[in-house]
Amino acid sequence: MTSGPADGDQETGAGGTDQDDSLRRFAAIWSRAIYPATATSMTRAEFEDHLVPQARILRDALRARRFDPRAAVPVGTALVAAHCTDPESLPNILGVIEAYLVLYCPPEPGLPLDESRARCARLQHAVAVGFSQALRERTLREQESLSRAALSAQTDAERALAASEARFRAVFEGAAIGIGIAGLDGRILEVNDALARMFGGQAHVMRRNVTDWVHADDRAGNHVPNAELVRGARDGYHTEKAYPRADGSVLWANVRVSLLRDDAGRPQYQLALLEDITERRGLLDRLRHEATHDALTGLPNRALFFERLDQALADNGGTSRIGVCYLDLDGFKAVNDSLGHEVGDRLLVAVAERLSGCLTSPDQLVARIGGDEFVALYTDPPSLREVTDLAGRILDALAAPVPLDKRELTVHGSIGIVHGPVGDRAAADVLRSADITMYRAKELGGNRYEVADPDADARAITRHGLTNRLPSALERGEFFIEYQPLIGLDDGAVRGAEALVRWGHPVHGVLGPDQFIPLAEHTGQIVPLGRWVLEQAARQARAWQCQHEGGRAPRVNVNLSPIQLHHPNLVVEVARVLDETGLAPESLCLEVTESALIGADEEQLRPLRRIADLGVSIALDDFGTGYSNLSALRWLPLSVLKLDRAFTLGMREQPADPVDLKIVEGIVSMAHALDLTVTVEGVETRHQAEHLRALGCDTGQGWYYGRPGPPELLHALTLADAG
């Protein structure tokens, strides 16, 4: 589906036709739901046409890059203008939006589903606001008409008492809205039956003064406009106001108060017209709650959290501080995968209850912002300690197992804390910093909290940028290979070279493999990157063969990631590269780390055995860095043992460490007994080279022989010092 058009543009082309069809289908469903409850003179087809532009407004608001739910307010207004004024029509209007808007008018790609649903809920609220405002204005116009009729009737009563009294009484008693008359002192003189029913009885109304009608929910009150009206400074005002009913419940009313003057223009009475909007206001409150609270746990949702965070960050003068605790449950995915989503949902509900119990003051809020992620906001905390205390209470609350279905589920969490002055921070930046810090807590073992550090944030953002650029970097040709020579210790000849990939990043310069290989492994990009390295290295080795016609050409060593090792196409890829490049199998050596091989079962080793059967050498890299099972070396498909540089550190100077000498001597003896050659990494001095040659090591690699460099330097190496 194509992207939505800009505001005011019309869709064109095939994509536009598809979108028009979707809008039409949505409008047809909408029409079927609400047309029966309208009093419009339009036919159903005309009414459906009337709904299409309203559907377009909702679709464009849902897709907007800068989401603003207020764009949907005119939709509610337009529906009232089309005579959708029946009390039953609003739930139908909102129900269709909730069920079908995202389905028929989906947002742009990249917007998460939960964010789409949250936007849809807020659009419903905006439509309801527009509907209610328009309905209120419509009612006010009717009230104004009644008021004019009442005033006319009262004036006529003074001129023709008998006729006007009958007319006034007909309007007064027969009106569906509440009407009351009071003196300028606030004493109630008369009310009609509708108003008496609203309040729960005439006696409850008549024994009160207007100024006594104050409810706790009506904090603002209307004292100023009422005082101005009584003085004659204004002719009327209207407002929404809460009143106490006789049974103690709350009556919300849309109130219009007018001043009645005598023939001389002096203020004489107050006339009040009241419409009961309690049910409508309750619906709006419910919609607001649903739009701002998580349906599963009842906690505030992402929308309400950001609303409160924005309010906290909007502190005038920037003198306030904020504290944010970003919580992610450790191992929650395993619960969903093993016990099912129903159990997972119940666990989330239990966690939400415990988190709510950790709040100790009104300036603290906890919200669920998605999946197993929760966030606590502390507005203007006295210090960092109060925020870490909150994080500690959260971890303590999660410490006890959660009993579900006769089983106890252990749940822990990792928390990232952001604390500091409001300053000019943006809400998204605060949450991103908390998220980064939370993952740092996970990397340190989980079940703990960490406090945000700007330097750590910068490193994480850099890693994120590198991760995002990895796929396109290979396509752009940003990677290149350097080769470090492998030298025969007995004669100083070049036996081969290890291919070492580098990244020529346009911003960060040349990056070594330790800076991006872990990222490539984490994202799966190591597979295409490793394939490219193997192809390039094999072509280079074939070029060396052509340069050494009649002589011994250097072989090339290529590192294999554990992820590549378990890739189903590994053997096929190696065979393909050998075939396409014409490289002899014995000129290729694949290096696999000790941690990837030791402990592997026969099924995991089968690809390596098949590669070895092709004639390719297999080297066990970094030997000695793990807890090796030496007996396993007998049945691993190995040709080469590469000793880690740690074994040579004691040989840099004279005299050499006798313990290191004995260890290396034993390893070399064992390797040769197993028909393995021994390569030593990290050779940096003449002393090391002499000791390793004396101990019987076959090849060496390190800065003493040459740093990694371009392939053309390999055959030009001067090996005078290696003799």
Side-chain angles (χ1 to χ4, degrees):
M1 181 173 290
T2 59
S3 299
D7 292 345
D9 292 344
Q10 298 296 320
E11 296 89 341
T12 60
T17 300
D18 291 342
Q19 295 187 23
D20 278 341
D21 290 344
S22 297
L23 282 176
R24 281 284 179 186
R25 289 195 293 272
F26 176 77
I29 295 172
W30 213 6
S31 174
R32 286 197 297 271
I34 61 179
Y35 184 78
T38 65
T40 181
S41 60
M42 290 186 281
T43 65
R44 183 187 293 273
E46 291 171 339
F47 186 68
E48 183 177 319
D49 290 339
H50 179 76
L51 292 179
V52 170
Q54 311 311 319
R56 182 176 290 108
I57 292 173
L58 295 177
R59 181 200 65 188
D60 293 346
L62 181 67
R63 293 178 172 181
R65 178 173 297 179
R66 296 181 64 86
F67 177 66
D68 186 356
R70 293 174 295 182
V73 171
V75 175
T77 304
L79 290 170
V80 172
H83 302 287
C84 299
T85 56
D86 189 282
E88 297 298 325
S89 62
L90 183 56
N92 294 338
I93 291 168
L94 302 180
V96 172
I97 296 174
E98 179 180 14
Y100 296 103
L101 179 61
V102 175
L103 178 63
Y104 284 98
C105 305
E108 295 295 340
L111 188 69
L113 181 59
D114 58 347
E115 178 64 18
S116 300
R117 292 297 183 190
R119 287 188 174 190
C120 184
R122 296 182 69 186
L123 289 176
Q124 293 175 60
H125 181 259
V127 171
V129 169
F131 184 92
S132 299
Q133 289 175 345
L135 196 59
R136 182 180 63 184
E137 291 170 2
R138 182 189 183 102
T139 303
L140 288 175
R141 288 194 296 270
E142 293 174 353
Q143 291 173 347
E144 180 66 25
S145 177
L146 285 170
S147 179
R148 287 195 298 269
L151 289 170
S152 176
Q154 191 173 26
T155 302
D156 289 347
E158 294 174 352
R159 296 173 181 172
L161 293 176
S164 64
E165 180 65 23
R167 176 193 270 174
F168 179 77
R169 283 295 156 192
V171 172
F172 188 79
E173 297 296 344
I177 63 173
I179 304 176
I181 300 175
L184 298 180
D185 59 358
R187 184 168 57 89
I188 297 172
L189 304 176
E190 193 169 4
V191 298
N192 69 351
D193 292 340
L195 189 143
R197 287 193 300 271
M198 286 183 192
F199 283 87
Q202 188 162 0
H204 177 69
V205 179
M206 296 301 294
R207 65 169 177 257
R208 289 174 177 264
N209 190 286
V210 170
T211 57
D212 296 335
W213 274 344
V214 179
H215 192 275
D217 290 345
D218 184 33
R219 298 180 181 89
N222 298 286
H223 307 301
V224 173
N226 191 260
E228 293 175 348
L229 181 136
V230 170
R231 293 200 310 268
R234 65 192 309 167
D235 290 324
Y237 64 89
H238 69 267
T239 184
E240 287 188 2
K241 180 175 170 58
Y243 294 96
R245 282 194 173 108
D247 60 3
S249 61
V250 181
L251 165 68
W252 276 97
N254 187 9
V255 183
R256 184 178 186 87
V257 181
S258 300
L259 179 64
L260 301 182
R261 301 175 183 268
D262 60 17
D263 289 340
R266 292 185 295 268
Q268 192 170 19
Y269 301 106
Q270 302 179 64
L271 174 68
L273 307 177
L274 286 79
E275 177 199 8
D276 187 348
I277 60 169
T278 306
E279 184 175 348
R280 188 193 313 162
R281 189 179 181 96
L283 175 60
L284 289 174
D285 289 343
R286 288 194 300 274
L287 286 172
R288 163 71 178 170
H289 187 275
E290 290 173 4
T292 58
H293 286 75
D294 177 50
L296 176 65
T297 63
L299 292 178
N301 63 10
R302 188 183 190 91
L304 182 55
F305 168 76
F306 272 105
E307 180 181 309
R308 296 290 177 82
L309 181 57
D310 285 335
Q311 291 172 359
L313 294 174
D315 167 63
N316 292 329
T319 58
S320 297
R321 307 177 76 83
I322 59 165
V324 172
C325 298
Y326 195 119
L327 166 70
D328 184 86
L329 300 183
D330 299 333
F332 178 75
K333 184 178 183 296
V335 174
N336 266 347
D337 292 345
S338 59
L339 302 178
H341 288 276
E342 181 182 356
V343 174
D345 286 349
R346 292 168 61 193
L347 179 60
L348 290 174
V349 171
V351 167
E353 291 175 354
R354 294 188 180 188
L355 296 182
S356 297
C358 296
L359 306 182
T360 57
S361 62
D363 49 11
Q364 298 172 5
L365 171 142
V366 65
R368 181 188 177 211
I369 60 173
D372 60 340
E373 296 177 336
F374 299 83
V375 61
L377 172 64
Y378 197 153
T379 304
D380 202 14
S383 67
L384 174 61
R385 178 169 182 175
E386 281 72 21
V387 184
T388 57
D389 286 347
L390 174 57
R393 290 197 300 274
I394 291 173
L395 294 178
D396 290 343
L398 298 178
V402 178
L404 288 177
D405 292 338
K406 299 182 180 179
R407 63 166 63 92
E408 291 191 338
L409 300 181
T410 301
V411 59
H412 298 297
S414 300
I415 299 176
I417 296 176
V418 171
H419 170 265
V422 168
D424 57 355
R425 297 187 181 196
D429 294 336
V430 172
L431 200 65
R432 179 177 64 175
S433 179
D435 188 23
I436 291 171
T437 308
M438 178 271 292
Y439 276 105
R440 182 151 50 90
K442 277 189 179 293
E443 291 170 357
L444 294 173
N447 194 27
R448 61 184 291 151
Y449 65 76
E450 288 292 318
V451 179
D453 171 62
D455 293 337
D457 283 3
R459 290 192 296 271
I461 293 170
T462 299
R463 286 196 303 271
H464 180 72
L466 294 178
T467 301
N468 288 340
R469 190 177 175 87
L470 263 172
S472 59
L474 188 57
E475 298 173 1
R476 293 189 178 103
E478 294 177 5
F479 291 100
F480 64 95
I481 299 175
E482 292 186 328
Y483 298 88
Q484 186 169 32
L486 294 164
I487 305 301
L489 294 179
D490 57 345
D491 58 5
V494 177
R495 301 290 177 81
E498 181 178 358
L500 300 170
V501 64
R502 306 286 191 254
W503 184 357
H505 196 282
V507 175
H508 302 292
V510 176
L511 303 178
D514 58 315
Q515 295 175 278
F516 62 86
I517 291 296
L519 303 179
E521 290 178 330
H522 180 71
T523 60
Q525 287 298 315
I526 191 64
V527 174
L529 177 59
R531 183 186 305 121
W532 179 84
V533 172
L534 178 61
E535 292 171 349
Q536 298 301 311
R539 289 193 179 94
Q540 183 57 57
R542 177 59 181 153
W544 287 331
Q545 285 183 344
C546 295
Q547 294 171 359
H548 292 77
E549 291 288 347
R552 184 172 62 182
R555 74 170 187 267
V556 67
N557 286 28
V558 178
N559 291 282
L560 273 187
S561 161
I563 294 177
Q564 290 176 274
L565 183 61
H566 298 108
H567 194 272
N569 294 330
L570 175 63
V571 180
V572 175
E573 289 292 340
V574 172
R576 179 188 61 79
V577 169
L578 292 174
D579 182 62
E580 291 180 355
T581 61
L583 180 67
E586 59 270 17
S587 294
L588 175 63
C589 178
L590 299 181
E591 298 188 9
V592 184
T593 60
E594 178 186 25
S595 60
L597 279 190
I598 300 301
D601 57 26
E602 184 58 33
E603 182 66 25
Q604 294 169 316
L605 291 174
R606 184 172 291 115
L608 279 186
R609 293 194 188 281
R610 292 175 59 190
I611 292 173
D613 291 341
L614 295 175
V616 176
S617 298
I618 307 296
L620 185 63
D621 196 14
D622 297 333
F623 181 77
T625 58
Y627 298 96
S628 303
N629 181 356
L630 298 180
S631 65
L633 295 177
R634 301 181 60 183
W635 51 274
L636 290 174
L638 301 176
S639 304
V640 181
L641 206 62
K642 289 193 74 172
L643 293 187
D644 187 72
R645 66 180 63 243
F647 291 108
T648 67
L649 294 178
M651 305 179 194
R652 288 182 175 179
E653 305 293 342
Q654 295 282 19
D657 187 325
V659 175
D660 284 348
L661 293 175
K662 286 293 184 183
I663 291 174
V664 173
E665 181 181 19
I667 293 174
V668 171
S669 176
M670 175 194 66
H672 287 168
L674 295 173
D675 200 23
L676 304 176
T677 60
V678 178
T679 298
V680 184
E681 298 177 304
V683 182
E684 298 178 357
T685 68
R686 179 188 296 273
H687 295 302
Q688 286 175 309
E690 291 174 347
H691 284 303
L692 294 170
R693 182 167 51 245
L695 292 171
C697 296
D698 300 290
T699 53
Q701 176 182 355
W703 288 2
Y704 176 63
Y705 300 113
R707 295 174 181 252
E712 56 268 18
L713 294 182
L714 189 68
H715 69 278
L717 282 175
T718 302
L719 303 176
D721 288 341

